Amino acid sequence: MIYHGEATSIFLKENKVGPVELATIAFGQRFEITPIQLATAVSSIANGGVKITPRVVKKIINSETGEVTEIPVKTGERIISEENAKSILSMMESVVAEGTGKNAQVVGYRVGGKTGTSEDGVNTNKYVASFCGVAPISDPQVVALVTLYNPTGEGGHQGGGVAAPVGGQVLSEVLPYLELTKDNEKEEDKKKQVEVPNIEGMTIQEASKALKEVNLDFQIENEPEGLDKTTAIVKEQLPKKGISIYEGTKILLKI
């Protein structure tokens, strides 16, 4: 159902879909959807395969009387089986646990997600980087979609490199704010949180010292053999400065 003012998606007609089109549609090409449609699809998967209709307004409060009118969440028909919904959530969890979305991990919570890197037009050298996350996987309550149009920083244009860290930061603040119970909380999850220092521009040796002072570790991406840590400069760090993370976490350094 399309609501007033909402954009529609662009799909090929069924009789125009051949073997090639079917294959490319399967990995996200040959069609266009809006961000809210993507969030709706992921929300429906998180809801066990039953469609969820997004609401823009949660409640209306009468400023004169104080009367509160709650806007209910609308559910619709089943669009995929519960078994398939669970399978997809499991795959999304793997993406964050060990795949391209690992920069969206949140300590103490099972997070699922999917990264995306698409071309913005033909031969434009412009890209759209995205990450759509859902958490906690044990009892999904939050879906977060981060879309970055034509990112041009040193972090590149891949969804896993530039959009997933933003998604992880959003979820790391939203989940505790909603007072959601952590998944399988262990003693190591109860470590003290520290603020990530700014180590960009430092040598590896200087960065190592600064991180040790706040009980953080580091890992160098694609570390070359024989690297001189007294001269090699940190060009980028993930997570970025100012983000609160747990002691013992490894900071990814790019040189």
Side-chain angles (χ1 to χ4, degrees), residues 45 55 64 127 250:
I45 292 169
R55 57 180 179 179
E64 295 182 355
Y127 298 88
K250 284 188 176 182

Side-chain angles (χ1 to χ4, degrees), residues 26-252:
F27 57 75
Q29 293 189 353
R30 300 283 182 133
F31 67 90
E32 296 180 18
I33 60 175
T34 65
I36 199 168
Q37 288 171 333
L38 177 55
T40 298
V42 175
S43 296
S44 301
I45 292 169
N47 194 46
V50 176
K51 184 182 179 182
I52 288 285
T53 300
R55 57 180 179 179
V56 178
V57 178
K58 180 179 180 181
K59 60 185 175 181
I60 301 171
I61 303 176
N62 188 312
S63 59
E64 295 182 355
T65 65
E67 181 182 1
V68 178
T69 303
E70 297 282 348
I71 308 299
V73 175
K74 295 182 180 179
T75 58
E77 61 183 340
R78 174 170 294 281
I79 54 178
I80 60 172
S81 69
E82 185 175 5
E83 181 182 2
N84 286 341
K86 289 181 179 179
S87 295
I88 295 172
L89 278 181
S90 177
M91 295 175 193
M92 294 177 72
E93 183 177 10
S94 296
V95 169
V96 175
E98 54 192 27
T100 58
K102 59 186 177 182
N103 287 326
Q105 294 177 7
V106 179
V107 174
Y109 294 96
R110 293 168 56 197
V111 176
K114 179 68 182 75
T115 61
T117 308
S118 59
E119 296 171 300
D120 188 3
V122 180
N123 298 325
T124 62
N125 291 322
K126 294 182 179 181
Y127 298 88
V128 178
S130 62
F131 172 78
C132 192
V134 56
I137 290 294
S138 57
D139 182 21
Q141 299 292 318
V142 177
V143 168
L145 173 60
V146 176
T147 306
L148 305 177
Y149 296 93
N150 194 31
T152 57
E154 293 182 358
H157 61 263
Q158 301 291 329
V162 294
V166 179
Q169 182 177 355
V170 170
L171 291 173
S172 70
E173 296 184 23
V174 170
L175 297 175
Y177 176 80
L178 294 178
E179 299 182 346
L180 297 178
T181 303
K182 289 186 177 183
D183 297 295
N184 303 321
E185 187 172 20
K186 302 176 183 179
E187 285 303 316
E188 57 263 32
D189 295 333
K190 300 177 182 179
K191 295 177 182 177
K192 177 184 175 183
Q193 282 196 327
V194 295
E195 189 173 293
V196 178
N198 182 18
I199 53 176
E200 293 180 359
M202 293 183 180
T203 64
I204 299 296
Q205 188 178 64
E206 293 169 338
S208 175
K209 182 180 178 181
L211 291 172
K212 284 182 178 179
E213 289 178 353
V214 289
N215 295 323
L216 294 176
D217 201 353
F218 71 91
Q219 177 180 340
I220 302 172
E221 184 178 62
N222 301 322
E223 181 176 355
E225 187 176 349
L227 177 69
D228 185 350
K229 296 182 179 180
T230 63
T231 58
I233 301 296
V234 178
K235 293 182 179 179
E236 186 182 0
Q237 65 181 82
L238 291 173
K240 295 292 187 180
K241 65 176 181 179
I243 296 177
S244 294
I245 59 176
Y246 288 88
E247 291 180 332
T249 301
K250 284 188 176 182
I251 306 299
L252 180 64

